[in-house]
Amino acid sequence: MAQEGAAQKAPGARRGTALITGAASGIGKATAIRLAKDGWNVHICDVDKASVKSFREDVPNVTAWMCDVSDPDQVKDVISGVMAQHGQLDVLINNAGIAGCTASIEDVPQDDWRQTIDVNINGAFYFLREAVPGMKQRRGGAIINIASTAALFGYPQRTAYAASKWAMIGMTKTLAMELGPFNIRVNAVCPGSVAGPRIDGVIERDAERRGISAAEVRRIYEGQVSMRKFVTVEDIAAMCAFLCSSDAALVSGQVIAVDGHTESLSFPF
Ligand code: NAD
Protein backbone atom coordinates (compact mmCIF):
# COMPACT_ATOMS: atom_id res chain seq x y z
CA MET A 1 0.00 0.00 0.00
CA ALA A 2 1.51 3.30 -1.10
CA GLN A 3 0.42 5.64 1.66
CA GLU A 4 1.61 3.85 4.76
CA GLY A 5 1.13 5.57 8.10
CA ALA A 6 4.00 5.61 10.57
CA ALA A 7 2.26 3.04 12.78
CA GLN A 8 2.11 0.48 9.94
CA LYS A 9 5.67 0.96 8.74
CA ALA A 10 8.22 -1.76 9.24
CA PRO A 11 11.32 -0.32 10.92
CA GLY A 12 13.46 1.39 8.30
CA ALA A 13 10.80 1.02 5.58
CA ARG A 14 10.17 4.00 3.31
CA ARG A 15 6.65 5.33 2.90
CA GLY A 16 6.91 5.64 -0.86
CA THR A 17 8.01 8.25 -3.35
CA ALA A 18 6.94 11.88 -3.49
CA LEU A 19 7.66 14.52 -6.12
CA ILE A 20 7.26 18.24 -5.42
CA THR A 21 7.45 20.78 -8.25
CA GLY A 22 9.01 24.23 -7.93
CA ALA A 23 10.50 23.14 -4.65
CA ALA A 24 14.04 24.51 -4.55
CA SER A 25 12.81 27.30 -2.25
CA GLY A 26 9.95 28.44 -0.03
CA ILE A 27 6.95 26.22 0.63
CA GLY A 28 8.17 23.43 -1.65
CA LYS A 29 11.55 23.23 0.03
CA ALA A 30 10.01 23.13 3.51
CA THR A 31 7.65 20.40 2.31
CA ALA A 32 10.52 18.39 0.83
CA ILE A 33 12.40 18.57 4.14
CA ARG A 34 9.27 17.55 6.08
CA LEU A 35 8.38 14.61 3.82
CA ALA A 36 11.96 13.34 3.83
CA LYS A 37 11.89 13.48 7.64
CA ASP A 38 8.60 11.56 7.59
CA GLY A 39 10.25 8.74 5.64
CA TRP A 40 9.35 9.43 2.03
CA ASN A 41 11.79 9.17 -0.87
CA VAL A 42 11.56 12.76 -2.00
CA HIS A 43 12.31 14.29 -5.40
CA ILE A 44 11.93 17.93 -6.30
CA CYS A 45 12.28 19.91 -9.49
CA ASP A 46 12.78 23.59 -10.18
CA VAL A 47 13.68 25.90 -13.06
CA ASP A 48 16.06 28.13 -11.10
CA LYS A 49 19.63 26.89 -11.42
CA ALA A 50 21.05 28.78 -8.43
CA SER A 51 18.21 27.65 -6.14
CA VAL A 52 18.63 24.04 -7.25
CA LYS A 53 22.35 24.25 -6.54
CA SER A 54 21.83 25.55 -3.01
CA PHE A 55 18.97 23.10 -2.44
CA ARG A 56 21.32 20.22 -3.29
CA GLU A 57 23.81 21.53 -0.73
CA ASP A 58 21.16 22.14 1.97
CA VAL A 59 19.07 19.01 1.50
CA PRO A 60 21.39 16.25 0.24
CA ASN A 61 18.90 13.46 1.04
CA VAL A 62 16.42 14.76 -1.58
CA THR A 63 16.97 14.38 -5.33
CA ALA A 64 16.68 17.68 -7.20
CA TRP A 65 15.98 17.89 -10.92
CA MET A 66 16.23 20.91 -13.19
CA CYS A 67 12.89 21.34 -14.95
CA ASP A 68 10.69 24.06 -16.36
CA VAL A 69 7.21 22.78 -15.54
CA SER A 70 5.76 24.62 -18.54
CA ASP A 71 7.77 22.44 -20.91
CA PRO A 72 6.00 19.08 -21.39
CA ASP A 73 9.18 17.35 -22.58
CA GLN A 74 11.12 18.34 -19.47
CA VAL A 75 8.21 17.16 -17.32
CA LYS A 76 8.29 13.76 -19.06
CA ASP A 77 12.01 13.47 -18.35
CA VAL A 78 11.55 14.14 -14.63
CA ILE A 79 8.78 11.57 -14.28
CA SER A 80 10.85 9.02 -16.23
CA GLY A 81 13.83 9.72 -13.98
CA VAL A 82 11.79 9.21 -10.80
CA MET A 83 10.19 6.05 -12.18
CA ALA A 84 13.60 4.69 -13.20
CA GLN A 85 14.81 5.08 -9.60
CA HIS A 86 11.77 3.93 -7.64
CA GLY A 87 9.42 2.18 -10.08
CA GLN A 88 6.47 4.20 -8.85
CA LEU A 89 5.32 7.64 -7.78
CA ASP A 90 2.98 7.78 -4.81
CA VAL A 91 2.65 11.51 -4.15
CA LEU A 92 2.63 14.44 -6.55
CA ILE A 93 2.60 17.98 -5.17
CA ASN A 94 2.00 20.61 -7.83
CA ASN A 95 3.62 23.54 -6.09
CA ALA A 96 5.51 25.49 -8.81
CA GLY A 97 3.96 28.88 -9.18
CA ILE A 98 4.64 32.46 -10.20
CA ALA A 99 2.72 35.57 -9.22
CA GLY A 100 2.77 37.30 -12.59
CA CYS A 101 2.74 41.07 -12.93
CA THR A 102 0.87 43.50 -10.71
CA ALA A 103 -1.33 45.49 -13.10
CA SER A 104 -4.87 46.53 -13.90
CA ILE A 105 -6.51 44.13 -16.29
CA GLU A 106 -6.17 46.45 -19.29
CA ASP A 107 -2.42 46.75 -18.69
CA VAL A 108 -1.57 43.08 -18.30
CA PRO A 109 0.94 42.18 -21.03
CA GLN A 110 -0.04 39.24 -23.20
CA ASP A 111 3.21 37.40 -22.44
CA ASP A 112 2.82 37.84 -18.71
CA TRP A 113 -0.73 36.45 -18.78
CA ARG A 114 0.38 33.50 -20.89
CA GLN A 115 3.40 32.70 -18.72
CA THR A 116 1.41 32.80 -15.47
CA ILE A 117 -1.18 30.41 -16.86
CA ASP A 118 1.54 28.27 -18.43
CA VAL A 119 3.50 27.76 -15.22
CA ASN A 120 0.69 27.68 -12.67
CA ILE A 121 -1.90 25.58 -14.45
CA ASN A 122 -0.45 24.04 -17.61
CA GLY A 123 2.58 22.90 -15.61
CA ALA A 124 0.31 21.08 -13.16
CA PHE A 125 -1.57 19.51 -16.07
CA TYR A 126 1.67 18.19 -17.64
CA PHE A 127 2.72 16.56 -14.37
CA LEU A 128 -0.71 15.08 -13.78
CA ARG A 129 -0.81 13.67 -17.29
CA GLU A 130 2.50 11.89 -16.74
CA ALA A 131 1.98 10.80 -13.14
CA VAL A 132 -1.62 9.60 -13.06
CA PRO A 133 -1.34 6.52 -15.34
CA GLY A 134 1.13 4.83 -12.97
CA MET A 135 -1.01 5.71 -9.94
CA LYS A 136 -4.08 4.32 -11.67
CA GLN A 137 -2.29 1.12 -12.53
CA ARG A 138 -1.25 0.59 -8.90
CA ARG A 139 -4.58 1.87 -7.63
CA GLY A 140 -3.11 4.35 -5.17
CA GLY A 141 -1.73 7.83 -4.85
CA ALA A 142 -2.12 11.26 -3.38
CA ILE A 143 -2.06 14.51 -5.31
CA ILE A 144 -1.86 17.95 -3.75
CA ASN A 145 -2.34 21.10 -5.77
CA ILE A 146 -0.98 24.22 -4.12
CA ALA A 147 -3.53 26.94 -4.88
CA SER A 148 -3.93 30.15 -2.85
CA THR A 149 -6.40 32.06 -0.75
CA ALA A 150 -6.08 34.58 -3.62
CA ALA A 151 -8.32 32.20 -5.56
CA LEU A 152 -10.93 32.17 -2.79
CA PHE A 153 -11.10 35.93 -2.20
CA GLY A 154 -9.80 37.44 -5.43
CA TYR A 155 -6.62 39.42 -5.70
CA PRO A 156 -6.80 42.91 -7.20
CA GLN A 157 -4.18 43.58 -9.91
CA ARG A 158 -3.25 39.88 -10.05
CA THR A 159 -6.01 38.52 -12.27
CA ALA A 160 -3.92 35.86 -14.01
CA TYR A 161 -2.58 34.57 -10.70
CA ALA A 162 -6.01 34.36 -9.04
CA ALA A 163 -7.55 32.82 -12.16
CA SER A 164 -4.82 30.18 -12.40
CA LYS A 165 -5.23 29.25 -8.74
CA TRP A 166 -9.01 29.02 -9.09
CA ALA A 167 -8.40 26.74 -12.07
CA MET A 168 -6.33 24.47 -9.80
CA ILE A 169 -9.32 24.18 -7.50
CA GLY A 170 -11.55 23.17 -10.43
CA MET A 171 -8.97 20.62 -11.45
CA THR A 172 -8.79 19.30 -7.88
CA LYS A 173 -12.56 18.86 -7.58
CA THR A 174 -12.81 17.19 -10.98
CA LEU A 175 -9.88 14.83 -10.52
CA ALA A 176 -11.05 13.81 -7.05
CA MET A 177 -14.23 12.51 -8.72
CA GLU A 178 -12.40 10.99 -11.67
CA LEU A 179 -9.59 9.33 -9.72
CA GLY A 180 -11.34 8.38 -6.47
CA PRO A 181 -12.39 4.99 -7.87
CA PHE A 182 -8.68 4.28 -8.42
CA ASN A 183 -7.89 5.05 -4.77
CA ILE A 184 -6.15 8.26 -5.76
CA ARG A 185 -6.87 11.26 -3.55
CA VAL A 186 -6.69 14.81 -4.84
CA ASN A 187 -6.74 17.87 -2.59
CA ALA A 188 -5.89 21.54 -2.85
CA VAL A 189 -4.06 23.54 -0.22
CA CYS A 190 -4.55 27.31 -0.19
CA PRO A 191 -1.76 29.06 1.65
CA GLY A 192 -2.50 32.50 3.03
CA SER A 193 0.23 35.13 3.21
CA VAL A 194 3.37 33.31 4.24
CA ALA A 195 5.80 34.92 6.67
CA GLY A 196 9.16 35.66 5.09
CA PRO A 197 11.14 38.06 2.92
CA ARG A 198 8.30 38.67 0.44
CA ILE A 199 5.78 39.94 3.00
CA ASP A 200 8.58 41.79 4.82
CA GLY A 201 9.30 43.70 1.60
CA VAL A 202 5.63 44.53 1.12
CA ILE A 203 5.46 45.80 4.69
CA GLU A 204 8.56 47.97 4.26
CA ARG A 205 7.22 49.53 1.05
CA ASP A 206 3.78 50.13 2.51
CA ALA A 207 5.26 51.69 5.65
CA GLU A 208 7.23 54.11 3.50
CA ARG A 209 4.15 54.96 1.43
CA ARG A 210 2.00 55.55 4.55
CA GLY A 211 4.72 57.32 6.53
CA ILE A 212 4.34 54.97 9.52
CA SER A 213 6.64 52.34 10.99
CA ALA A 214 7.00 48.86 9.54
CA ALA A 215 5.97 47.45 12.94
CA GLU A 216 2.71 49.39 12.75
CA VAL A 217 1.99 48.15 9.21
CA ARG A 218 2.74 44.58 10.32
CA ARG A 219 0.27 44.99 13.19
CA ILE A 220 -2.40 46.22 10.75
CA TYR A 221 -1.81 43.32 8.37
CA GLU A 222 -1.72 40.70 11.10
CA GLY A 223 -4.92 42.22 12.47
CA GLN A 224 -6.68 40.99 9.33
CA VAL A 225 -5.79 37.40 10.23
CA SER A 226 -8.03 35.88 12.92
CA MET A 227 -5.07 34.06 14.48
CA ARG A 228 -3.15 37.37 14.40
CA LYS A 229 -0.07 35.94 12.69
CA PHE A 230 1.10 34.93 9.24
CA VAL A 231 1.47 31.26 8.43
CA THR A 232 4.94 29.80 7.92
CA VAL A 233 6.25 27.51 5.20
CA GLU A 234 6.37 24.78 7.86
CA ASP A 235 2.61 25.20 8.48
CA ILE A 236 1.95 24.49 4.80
CA ALA A 237 4.42 21.60 4.81
CA ALA A 238 2.62 20.08 7.81
CA MET A 239 -0.72 20.15 5.96
CA CYS A 240 0.89 18.50 2.94
CA ALA A 241 2.46 15.85 5.18
CA PHE A 242 -0.97 15.09 6.64
CA LEU A 243 -2.69 14.97 3.25
CA CYS A 244 -0.25 12.46 1.82
CA SER A 245 -0.27 10.23 4.90
CA SER A 246 -2.65 7.38 5.61
CA ASP A 247 -4.23 9.57 8.32
CA ALA A 248 -5.93 11.34 5.41
CA ALA A 249 -6.94 8.05 3.72
CA LEU A 250 -10.51 9.24 3.08
CA VAL A 251 -9.82 12.92 2.56
CA SER A 252 -10.23 13.89 -1.08
CA GLY A 253 -11.65 16.72 -3.16
CA GLN A 254 -11.02 19.21 -0.35
CA VAL A 255 -9.80 22.78 -0.61
CA ILE A 256 -8.00 23.55 2.62
CA ALA A 257 -6.92 27.06 3.50
CA VAL A 258 -3.87 27.24 5.74
CA ASP A 259 -3.99 30.94 6.51
CA GLY A 260 -4.74 31.47 10.21
CA HIS A 261 -8.26 32.27 8.99
CA THR A 262 -8.76 35.34 6.88
CA GLU A 263 -12.06 36.61 5.50
CA SER A 264 -10.46 38.52 2.65
CA LEU A 265 -7.06 39.33 1.24
CA SER A 266 -6.67 43.05 1.57
CA PHE A 267 -2.94 43.64 1.80
CA PRO A 268 -1.65 45.96 -0.92
CA PHE A 269 0.75 43.48 -2.58
P1 NAD B 1 8.79 30.64 -4.16
O1 NAD B 1 8.97 31.68 -5.21
O2 NAD B 1 9.67 30.65 -2.97
O3 NAD B 1 8.87 29.18 -4.81
C1 NAD B 1 8.37 28.90 -6.07
C2 NAD B 1 9.39 28.07 -6.80
O4 NAD B 1 8.87 27.74 -8.08
C3 NAD B 1 10.72 28.81 -7.03
O5 NAD B 1 11.80 28.02 -6.54
C4 NAD B 1 10.79 28.96 -8.54
O6 NAD B 1 12.09 28.90 -9.07
C5 NAD B 1 9.93 27.79 -8.99
N1 NAD B 1 9.43 27.99 -10.34
C6 NAD B 1 8.96 29.12 -10.89
N2 NAD B 1 8.64 28.91 -12.19
C7 NAD B 1 8.94 27.61 -12.44
C8 NAD B 1 8.89 26.79 -13.60
N3 NAD B 1 8.47 27.29 -14.78
N4 NAD B 1 9.28 25.51 -13.50
C9 NAD B 1 9.75 25.02 -12.34
N5 NAD B 1 9.84 25.74 -11.22
C10 NAD B 1 9.45 27.01 -11.26
O7 NAD B 1 7.28 30.73 -3.75
P2 NAD B 1 6.46 30.02 -2.58
O8 NAD B 1 5.92 31.11 -1.75
O9 NAD B 1 7.20 28.91 -1.95
O10 NAD B 1 5.25 29.47 -3.46
C11 NAD B 1 5.00 28.10 -3.67
C12 NAD B 1 3.57 27.96 -4.15
O11 NAD B 1 2.69 28.46 -3.15
C13 NAD B 1 3.27 28.76 -5.41
O12 NAD B 1 2.43 28.01 -6.25
C14 NAD B 1 2.56 29.99 -4.88
O13 NAD B 1 1.69 30.56 -5.82
C15 NAD B 1 1.80 29.41 -3.71
N6 NAD B 1 1.42 30.40 -2.69
C16 NAD B 1 2.36 31.12 -2.02
C17 NAD B 1 1.96 32.06 -1.07
C18 NAD B 1 2.94 32.89 -0.29
O14 NAD B 1 2.53 33.83 0.42
N7 NAD B 1 4.22 32.59 -0.33
C19 NAD B 1 0.60 32.26 -0.82
C20 NAD B 1 -0.32 31.51 -1.53
C21 NAD B 1 0.11 30.57 -2.46
Side-chain angles (χ1 to χ4, degrees), residues 22-28 45-48 51 67-70 95-98 119 146-149 161 165 191-194 198:
S25 67
I27 291 169
C45 66
D46 203 289
V47 75
D48 190 83
S51 306
C67 170
D68 179 345
V69 300
S70 67
N95 168 75
I98 56 173
V119 174
I146 304 296
S148 170
T149 52
Y161 179 75
K165 294 301 187 180
S193 297
V194 175
R198 186 173 302 149

Side-chain angles (χ1 to χ4, degrees), residues 177-238:
M177 296 168 106
E178 195 176 310
L179 302 178
F182 295 91
N183 190 35
I184 301 168
R185 299 180 298 102
V186 190
N187 291 289
V189 171
C190 292
S193 297
V194 175
R198 186 173 302 149
I199 189 85
D200 292 347
V202 172
I203 287 171
E204 291 290 337
R205 284 192 296 280
D206 200 27
E208 216 172 292
R209 194 177 57 81
R210 296 183 191 215
I212 56 177
S213 73
E216 180 62 7
V217 173
R218 185 176 296 278
R219 204 187 56 74
I220 294 167
Y221 286 13
E222 287 178 346
Q224 295 173 34
V225 182
S226 300
M227 309 283 304
R228 297 291 186 265
K229 57 186 173 195
F230 297 131
V231 293
T232 64
V233 290
E234 288 79 16
D235 293 323
I236 314 297

Side-chain angles (χ1 to χ4, degrees), residues 23-200:
S25 67
I27 291 169
K29 183 175 181 178
T31 305
I33 292 168
R34 171 65 194 260
L35 293 193
K37 195 166 142 235
D38 285 358
W40 296 89
N41 302 313
V42 184
H43 290 244
I44 67 121
C45 66
D46 203 289
V47 75
D48 190 83
K49 218 173 181 171
S51 306
V52 168
K53 185 174 178 290
S54 57
F55 181 96
R56 285 180 177 142
E57 285 158 13
D58 294 351
V59 197
N61 57 337
V62 167
T63 307
W65 303 82
M66 280 298 300
C67 170
D68 179 345
V69 300
S70 67
D71 179 336
D73 291 332
Q74 292 185 35
V75 170
K76 253 188 195 160
D77 288 347
V78 171
I79 296 286
S80 303
V82 173
M83 294 302 275
Q85 277 190 40
H86 302 286
Q88 66 185 57
L89 179 64
D90 305 286
V91 170
L92 170 65
I93 304 183
N94 283 311
N95 168 75
I98 56 173
C101 69
T102 305
S104 302
I105 188 69
E106 66 274 25
D107 297 326
V108 175
Q110 179 76 35
D111 284 353
D112 190 87
W113 179 277
R114 200 170 273 145
Q115 195 195 5
T116 308
I117 300 296
D118 240 10
V119 174
N120 294 5
I121 191 73
N122 294 348
F125 161 61
Y126 300 142
F127 270 98
L128 287 161
R129 190 170 58 179
E130 296 303 322
V132 162
M135 291 180 175
K136 268 183 160 173
Q137 207 175 12
R138 292 188 308 95
R139 300 189 88 78
I143 293 163
I144 301 171
N145 294 318
I146 304 296
S148 170
T149 52
L152 307 178
F153 308 136
Y155 195 165
Q157 312 250 315
R158 287 274 173 83
T159 312
Y161 179 75
S164 69
K165 294 301 187 180
W166 186 249
M168 288 196 101
I169 292 174
M171 202 157 66
T172 300
K173 293 279 180 188
T174 301
L175 290 179
M177 296 168 106
E178 195 176 310
L179 302 178
F182 295 91
N183 190 35
I184 301 168
R185 299 180 298 102
V186 190
N187 291 289
V189 171
C190 292
S193 297
V194 175
R198 186 173 302 149
I199 189 85
D200 292 347

